């Protein structure tokens, strides 16, 4: 067994042990009571992801060459399906949640030339990454101003703010350094050459479509916060009221925890404990009901995984058509 697989198994065991103790401390009976209280409203909870999914899809359309200038309802539905399937595969990926990214390119090849499809997938991921960093940045500077954050946590938020700002500021320099790293003899050179080409295409698209890039980034930022509606409604279902603003920032906190603990398979335990810590130390609110809500959030993820899998065959049968050259 390779070292990587051994580490994966170790982190999986750590995750399972941690989730066991979290459930034991919270109480299995309480989880059953909360889910019984929610009943069939859990089906409505699944729908809370639709606004986020729609914003992601629209943002993707805006950064797709040949599509961004003539958006139609038919195209939006096509991108909505692709985004659903991509997210489904991402959530099935134990680490990093990147399993659905190649799918974006292969499905776009059904309606776009190779170069435009690759440019779209690459530019969208850049926009998505920058929007996530900006959401972290907004959260780091805003939460201490709006919530009763313990004073001991203020330096943490400030440090994180500086870190996000630095990454955004030096991202262009970092990309240049990374792309210059492989030597001529490096086996990774072909991959980096393709990456350079994709970056060049992304830059050309950006120079010609700055308004669309800016709007897409703003939509992605809004989508990152809007996903907090799932948390808000989940807390509502278990009769625990939480401020809508707290729920929106809680989603960004959840994203941060998932990102930091990407090496734990499906973020088992780390997400649940991260939600509790962020509620108490970040938002300064009680974490009552956190575990049931975290499990309901996973229920929504599983539901959309199933929806994505069900949509996949229909997308594979999609007839090839060309919208533009």
């Amino acid at each position: 067994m390779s070292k990587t697989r051994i580490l994966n198994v170790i982190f999986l065991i750590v995750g399972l042990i941690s989730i066991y103790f979290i459930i034991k401390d919270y109480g299995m009976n309480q989880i059953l009571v909360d889910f019984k209280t929610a009943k069939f409203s859990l089906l409505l909870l699944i729908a809370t992801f639709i606004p986020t999914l729609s914003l992601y899809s629209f943002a993707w359309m805006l950064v797709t060459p040949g599509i961004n200038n003539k958006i139609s309802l038919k195209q939006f539905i096509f991108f909505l399906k692709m985004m659903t399937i991509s997210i489904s595969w991402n959530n099935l990926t134990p680490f990093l949640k990147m399993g659905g990214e190649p799918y974006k390119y292969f499905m776009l090849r059904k309606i776009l030339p190779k170069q435009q499809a690759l440019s779209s997938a690459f530019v969208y991921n850049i926009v998505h990454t920058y929007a996530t960093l900006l959401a972290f940045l907004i959260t780091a500077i805003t939460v201490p101003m709006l919530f009763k954050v313990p004073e001991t946590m203020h330096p943490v938020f400030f440090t994180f703010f500086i870190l996000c700002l630095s990454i955004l500021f030096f991202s262009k320099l970092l990309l240049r350094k990374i792309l210059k790293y492989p030597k001529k003899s490096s086996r990774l050179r072909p991959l980096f050459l393709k990456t350079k080409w994709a970056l060049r295409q992304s830059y050309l698209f950006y120079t010609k479509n700055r308004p669309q890039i800016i709007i897409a980034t703003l939509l992605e930022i809004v989508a990152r916060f809007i996903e907090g509606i799932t948390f808000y409604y989940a807390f509502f279902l278990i009769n625990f009221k939480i401020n809508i603003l707290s729920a929106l920032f809680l989603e960004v906190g959840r994203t941060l925890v998932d990102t930091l603990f990407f090496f734990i398979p499906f973020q088992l335990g780390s997400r649940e404990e991260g939600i509790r810590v962020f509620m108490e130390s970040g938002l300064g609110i009680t974490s009552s009901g956190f575990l049931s809500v975290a499990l309901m959030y996973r229920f929504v993820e599983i539901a959309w995984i199933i929806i994505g899998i069900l949509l996949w065959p229909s997308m594979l049968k999609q007839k090839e058509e060309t919208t533009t050259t």
Side-chain angles (χ1 to χ4, degrees):
M1 185 180 290
S2 65
K3 291 183 179 180
T4 302
R5 289 202 171 184
I6 292 174
L7 285 174
N8 291 344
V9 171
I10 290 174
F11 286 129
L12 175 61
I13 293 172
V14 170
L16 290 173
I17 292 174
S18 62
I19 196 70
Y20 167 76
F21 282 106
I22 291 171
I23 292 175
K24 184 179 180 181
D25 183 61
Y26 185 87
M28 189 63 194
N29 288 335
Q30 185 60 49
I31 294 174
L32 294 175
V33 169
D34 289 340
F35 271 78
K36 187 176 180 180
T37 301
K39 296 180 181 178
F40 293 106
S41 294
L42 286 172
L43 297 177
L44 292 176
L45 186 67
I46 297 171
T48 59
F49 185 61
I50 293 177
T52 299
L53 187 64
S54 300
L55 289 172
Y56 282 160
S57 302
F58 193 63
W60 187 10
M61 292 179 70
L62 287 175
V63 299
T64 300
I67 299 292
N68 58 323
N69 291 323
K70 46 182 181 180
I71 294 173
S72 66
L73 179 60
K74 183 179 179 181
Q75 289 169 338
F76 175 72
I77 293 173
F78 182 76
F79 273 76
L80 193 66
K81 288 181 179 179
M82 285 196 298
M83 183 61 72
T84 301
I85 298 169
S86 176
I87 290 176
S88 173
W89 282 107
N90 282 344
N91 287 333
L92 281 171
T93 309
F95 311 97
L96 290 175
K97 293 192 173 184
M98 297 290 287
E101 299 314 307
Y103 176 86
K104 289 185 172 71
Y105 165 73
F106 289 115
M107 285 296 98
L108 278 175
R109 287 286 289 114
K110 291 182 175 292
I111 62 170
L112 291 173
K114 180 179 179 180
Q115 290 184 342
Q116 290 184 346
L118 184 59
S119 175
S120 170
F122 203 85
V123 172
Y124 175 74
N125 277 287
I126 291 176
V127 168
H128 185 76
T129 301
Y130 269 78
T132 301
L133 281 171
L134 286 168
F136 290 162
L137 193 72
I138 293 169
T139 300
I141 195 66
T142 307
V143 167
M145 297 170 58
L146 298 178
F147 298 92
K148 296 179 180 179
V149 179
E151 289 190 11
T152 54
M153 290 298 295
H154 281 227
V156 176
F157 277 94
F158 179 75
T159 302
F160 186 65
F161 172 79
I162 296 298
L163 179 62
C164 289
L165 195 63
S166 300
I167 293 173
L168 288 169
F169 186 77
F170 292 107
S171 58
K172 188 175 181 180
L173 178 63
L174 288 172
L175 281 173
R176 286 180 178 177
K177 291 289 185 182
I178 292 171
L179 294 176
K180 289 180 180 178
Y181 177 74
K183 298 179 180 180
K184 292 183 179 180
S185 59
S186 174
R187 293 181 180 179
L188 295 175
R189 184 171 175 76
L191 174 62
F192 275 79
L193 286 175
K194 290 180 181 179
T195 304
K196 283 183 179 181
W197 177 88
L199 283 172
R200 190 177 298 112
Q201 295 299 313
S202 302
Y203 178 75
L204 290 174
F205 181 83
Y206 170 74
T207 56
K208 296 178 181 178
N209 302 273
R210 290 187 183 184
Q212 290 93 324
I213 292 288
I214 293 172
I215 294 172
T217 303
L218 291 174
L219 289 175
E220 286 279 323
I221 294 172
V222 172
R224 181 58 70 195
F225 284 96
I226 287 296
E227 196 170 350
I229 293 174
T230 300
F231 280 121
Y232 180 78
Y233 189 51
F235 276 112
F236 173 79
L237 291 181
I238 63 173
N239 298 320
F240 179 79
K241 292 183 179 180
I242 183 174
N243 186 287
I244 182 64
L245 198 60
S246 299
L248 301 186
F249 281 111
L250 182 58
E251 165 56 26
V252 181
R254 191 277 311 167
T255 304
L256 173 61
V257 171
D258 281 2
T259 303
L260 293 175
F261 293 93
F262 69 90
F263 51 85
I264 296 179
F266 302 108
Q267 291 71 57
L268 289 172
S270 61
R271 174 186 293 180
E272 287 73 19
E273 185 62 16
I275 289 173
R276 183 189 68 79
V277 172
F278 192 77
M279 288 180 70
E280 294 177 355
S281 301
L283 302 176
I285 59 177
T286 176
S287 61
S288 299
F290 81 95
L291 185 54
S292 294
V293 167
L295 294 176
M296 287 179 185
Y297 192 99
R298 289 191 182 276
F299 168 77
V300 172
E301 283 186 334
I302 293 171
W304 282 99
I305 287 174
I306 295 172
I307 293 171
I309 292 173
L310 292 175
L311 287 174
W312 193 19
S314 65
M315 291 295 289
L316 290 175
K317 295 178 182 178
Q318 183 87 21
K319 291 182 179 181
E320 291 191 6
E321 56 184 33
T322 303
T323 57
T324 183
T325 58

